[in-house]
Amino acid sequence: MANIVLYVMAKQNVTTQKSDVALADAASVYCEDEAIRARAEALKIHRFKSGGEPRVVISIMKVIEELTKLNPGITVESIGQTDIIIEKASFQKNTPETQRGFREWIKVAVVALICFFGSGFTIMAYHNDIGVSDVLGRIYELVTGQTSDGCTALEVAYSVGLAAGIITFYNHIGGKRFTADPTPLEVEMRNYERDVNQAIVEISGRSGKEKDVN
């Protein structure tokens, strides 16, 4: 069995409704020996207790230790994450009916209003600070020889171009997107999730709260 290699590709973040979490729930496992692969996938790496912490961090080193105990003589190769964050999800909290509830729509509406008026105020404050209206008025006067009344073709074209530029930059309008590339907001959300996961792992390591495989 010394030549048998077991490959484990662990996920960084796992959400489950199970109380007993197996390795197959948190990682992809491959081995040429199907019996060893089946035993590895069935290895229980954590059990959520009633009233216990809903989120735990499992080190892949502890998983490898248990795998070598379960299958002596094999070689375990980790090609995924070094730590696994497992979170117990509440079934009632994550049902589609609850997600589409009235309170969820209220939250979406409030956030949308904050983003709309907040962005609008920021744009107006920026334009007022750098004097865009004065610049456009001066250009209009130089080109036409007439005094701008503040609502000319230049202001209209600038407003349309600003809206078009924002839509093009975010690559998304309504429920549609122009290309398959992720939007800047999606990229920032992934970066934020990665930073949060890294902070959770570091805090668990410093406080000694990393869980053993059980």
Side-chain angles (χ1 to χ4, degrees):
M1 193 178 291
N3 294 327
I4 296 180
V5 180
L6 177 69
Y7 296 95
V8 179
M9 186 170 66
K11 304 172 185 177
Q12 186 175 44
N13 199 301
V14 178
T15 302
T16 180
Q17 295 177 353
K18 299 179 180 178
S19 295
D20 293 333
V21 184
L23 181 59
D25 299 320
S28 299
V29 181
Y30 174 76
C31 182
E32 293 182 353
D33 191 313
E34 290 296 330
I36 293 178
R37 176 180 179 178
R39 286 199 297 269
E41 289 180 337
L43 174 67
K44 187 180 70 174
I45 60 176
H46 185 70
R47 169 176 289 177
F48 286 101
K49 299 179 181 179
S50 179
E53 296 182 1
R55 182 171 57 197
V56 296
V57 178
I58 305 293
S59 172
I60 196 63
M61 292 298 295
K62 296 177 181 178
V63 175
I64 293 175
E65 181 181 350
E66 293 299 319
L67 287 172
T68 53
K69 290 180 181 178
L70 185 65
N71 303 284
I74 68 170
T75 300
V76 181
E77 292 284 348
S78 174
I79 57 176
Q81 300 294 327
T82 57
D83 295 276
I84 308 172
I85 302 172
I86 307 176
E87 185 172 0
K88 178 72 182 299
S90 171
F91 179 76
Q92 291 79 11
K93 181 179 179 181
N94 292 279
T95 55
E97 291 79 8
T98 303
Q99 292 178 350
R100 291 193 295 266
F102 179 73
R103 288 191 300 176
E104 295 298 321
W105 286 108
I106 292 296
K107 291 178 182 178
V108 171
V110 170
V111 172
L113 288 174
I114 292 174
C115 291
F116 178 79
F117 288 106
S119 300
F121 178 79
T122 301
I123 293 173
M124 288 188 294
Y126 172 75
H127 286 170
N128 183 67
D129 186 51
I130 64 175
V132 171
S133 59
D134 295 335
V135 173
L136 294 179
R138 182 59 177 165
I139 294 175
Y140 182 83
E141 184 177 352
L142 290 174
V143 173
T144 64
Q146 301 177 359
T147 302
S148 171
D149 59 359
C151 184
T152 64
L154 285 179
E155 282 79 10
V156 173
Y158 180 80
S159 299
V160 173
L162 180 64
I166 293 174
I167 293 173
T168 302
F169 175 77
Y170 283 104
N171 189 29
H172 194 276
I173 180 171
K176 299 180 180 179
R177 64 177 65 205
F178 303 118
T179 66
D181 296 333
T183 67
L185 287 177
E186 290 173 331
V187 173
E188 289 302 318
M189 286 300 298
R190 298 295 85 76
N191 291 336
Y192 173 75
E193 290 178 1
R194 184 166 55 249
D195 292 341
V196 169
N197 290 337
Q198 185 63 31
I200 292 173
V201 171
E202 291 180 359
I203 291 172
S204 298
R206 291 177 181 176
S207 60
K209 291 185 178 180
E210 282 191 346
K211 298 294 183 179
D212 292 328
V213 176
N214 51 25

